[in-house]
Amino acid sequence: MLRAAAALRPAGSIRPTMYATLFGLLTATGMRIAEALALQIDDVTADGLVVRQTKFQKSRLLPLHATARLALDRYLVTRRSLDYFFLPPALVPAISR
């Protein structure tokens, strides 16, 4: 699935990298899709990912394996938004409801 995501078109756009990173993060952490889509840049800490507004309205810290952290760091280099990892802010509230 990660190879298929990385092969998405248009080649050279953020789309293949975004989906490969998103699917990899979901697989590596077990996060829910709404949690991953609501991640903000500030949610990455030295200790892992801070997941806010979970299914039961609590926050939790997800430790990250070094390879997952490396993949997120590489993705952030290509990401143009400074707030959210995967979606523009206008779309996040509708998805995380």
Side-chain angles (χ1 to χ4, degrees):
M1 181 166 23
L2 295 179
R3 274 191 228 141
L8 288 172
R9 296 185 181 262
S13 72
I14 189 73
R15 187 174 185 230
T17 305
M18 182 191 72
Y19 279 107
T21 304
L22 176 61
F23 294 152
L25 183 65
L26 292 172
T27 302
T29 64
M31 295 176 75
R32 294 175 182 88
I33 186 70
E35 294 170 344
L37 294 177
L39 279 177
Q40 296 184 18
I41 303 300
D42 293 341
D43 293 336
V44 178
T45 69
D47 297 322
L49 289 176
V50 177
V51 181
R52 301 175 198 287
Q53 296 182 357
T54 64
K55 183 177 178 180
F56 300 106
Q57 305 303 315
K58 294 183 180 182
S59 294
R60 70 180 191 274
L61 179 67
L62 282 176
L64 287 177
H65 188 272
T67 56
R69 180 60 188 255
L70 182 61
L72 285 180
D73 290 343
R74 273 189 258 156
Y75 172 70
L76 288 176
V77 169
T78 62
R79 181 74 180 152
R80 297 211 171 32
S81 170
L82 296 177
D83 295 326
Y84 289 86
F85 270 90
F86 300 110
L87 292 175
L91 297 179
V92 172
I95 290 173
S96 59
R97 277 188 221 153

